[in-house]
Amino acid sequence: MRLVVINKKTLLTILIVLILAIIALGISVVYNKSEETFNSDVYYQGNIDDKIIAFACNVDWGNEHIPNMLQIFKDNDIKITYFVTGQWAEKNKDILKTIYDNKHEIGNHGYSHKDYDKLSYDRNKEEILKAHNIIKETLNIDSKYFAPPSGAYNDNTIKAAKDLGYELIMWSIDTIDWRKDSTKNVIIERVTSKAHNSAIVLMHPTEETVKALPEIIKYLYQNGYKIGTISDVIRKAP
């Protein structure tokens, strides 16, 4: 058996090549992650590196808690984005108008609250467009952000949303406030422990969320954050 002897110079060269390869791989991963975060068709967070956090409230129920939410936001001079389903908007046009009259941004949550990742392209498009038209008829605006119910989407959803001129919005911080074990303090912890620049915080109109909001807002303000809409954290390329 012939032994291969590698001298120190050759070994050093091999090590340098391996190190350079690892660095190149790391740069590639970071670059691709950046592209995914900032240039994807799906936004899990905004693309502005400032201390601002968007609140996204999905609405398909919870009417009784919306007035208190609106009052809290009014008292703190905050505008957020409400994503409403078309079926909710049809039945609650006065509430939708009140939200909009309070200068909040209105997004599209699809017509019905179902799993859009199980729908064809045509069904996705139909659901998004139907909700769009109801919002348009009620408020005379063209909503531009779509948040799929339960965060469920597939390639058909992305294409349908894009073809209708929508950006698909997810979240980077989830209050999970719809669960029975989500108390005020749990919700506060979920938001404050994960606060970051350009975050998107998902919430719903629930009793515990209403209780938690004042302390969440206070914490974010004390830590130098602003609170705003989806449009406030997404900068479109010229």
Side-chain angles (χ1 to χ4, degrees), residues 100-146:
Y100 184 66
D101 287 344
N102 275 262
K103 309 301 180 185
H104 295 288
E105 184 171 58
I106 305 300
N108 186 327
H109 199 37
Y111 179 74
S112 51
H113 202 285
K114 57 180 62 177
D115 293 332
Y116 285 54
D117 61 335
K118 298 175 182 175
L119 302 181
S120 66
Y121 168 80
D122 288 338
R123 289 287 291 116
N124 268 281
K125 191 172 182 180
E126 178 185 339
E127 289 280 324
I128 299 169
L129 184 58
K130 192 172 180 181
H132 178 96
N133 289 338
I134 292 167
I135 294 170
K136 173 79 170 180
E137 291 166 6
T138 306
L139 304 176
N140 195 31
I141 62 169
D142 290 302
S143 48
K144 58 183 178 179
Y145 299 115
F146 169 65

Side-chain angles (χ1 to χ4, degrees), residues 32-149:
N32 288 335
K33 181 65 177 176
S34 175
E35 287 293 297
E36 177 185 341
T37 301
F38 296 113
N39 295 318
S40 171
D41 292 318
V42 181
Y43 287 90
Y44 284 84
Q45 65 182 58
N47 57 9
I48 296 174
D49 191 21
D50 292 334
K51 296 198 77 170
I52 182 166
I53 290 179
F55 282 2
C57 184
N58 290 353
V59 183
D60 188 49
W61 41 262
N63 294 10
E64 65 273 27
H65 303 299
I66 291 175
N68 288 333
M69 290 185 79
L70 292 176
Q71 188 61 53
I72 291 170
F73 293 138
K74 184 177 181 179
D75 291 343
N76 289 276
D77 194 24
I78 291 171
K79 307 295 183 291
I80 76 162
T81 302
Y82 281 88
F83 286 95
V84 300
T85 62
Q87 63 185 6
W88 178 89
E90 267 184 325
K91 299 174 183 177
N92 299 280
K93 292 184 178 181
D94 288 342
I95 301 177
L96 178 57
K97 288 176 181 177
T98 298
I99 294 172
Y100 184 66
D101 287 344
N102 275 262
K103 309 301 180 185
H104 295 288
E105 184 171 58
I106 305 300
N108 186 327
H109 199 37
Y111 179 74
S112 51
H113 202 285
K114 57 180 62 177
D115 293 332
Y116 285 54
D117 61 335
K118 298 175 182 175
L119 302 181
S120 66
Y121 168 80
D122 288 338
R123 289 287 291 116
N124 268 281
K125 191 172 182 180
E126 178 185 339
E127 289 280 324
I128 299 169
L129 184 58
K130 192 172 180 181
H132 178 96
N133 289 338
I134 292 167
I135 294 170
K136 173 79 170 180
E137 291 166 6
T138 306
L139 304 176
N140 195 31
I141 62 169
D142 290 302
S143 48
K144 58 183 178 179
Y145 299 115
F146 169 65

Side-chain angles (χ1 to χ4, degrees), residues 44 53-59 61 69 80-83 109 113 147-152 169-178 182 187 190-191 196 199-206 209 213 216 230:
Y44 284 84
I53 290 179
F55 282 2
C57 184
N58 290 353
V59 183
W61 41 262
M69 290 185 79
I80 76 162
T81 302
Y82 281 88
F83 286 95
H109 199 37
H113 202 285
S150 305
I169 306 298
M170 296 290 286
W171 61 84
S172 58
I173 300 175
D174 192 353
T175 61
I176 323 177
D177 54 4
W178 48 269
S182 293
I187 292 169
R190 283 176 181 151
V191 177
H196 62 87
I200 297 174
V201 179
L202 173 63
M203 63 184 65
H204 301 81
T206 74
T209 295
L213 276 173
I216 291 172
I230 297 298

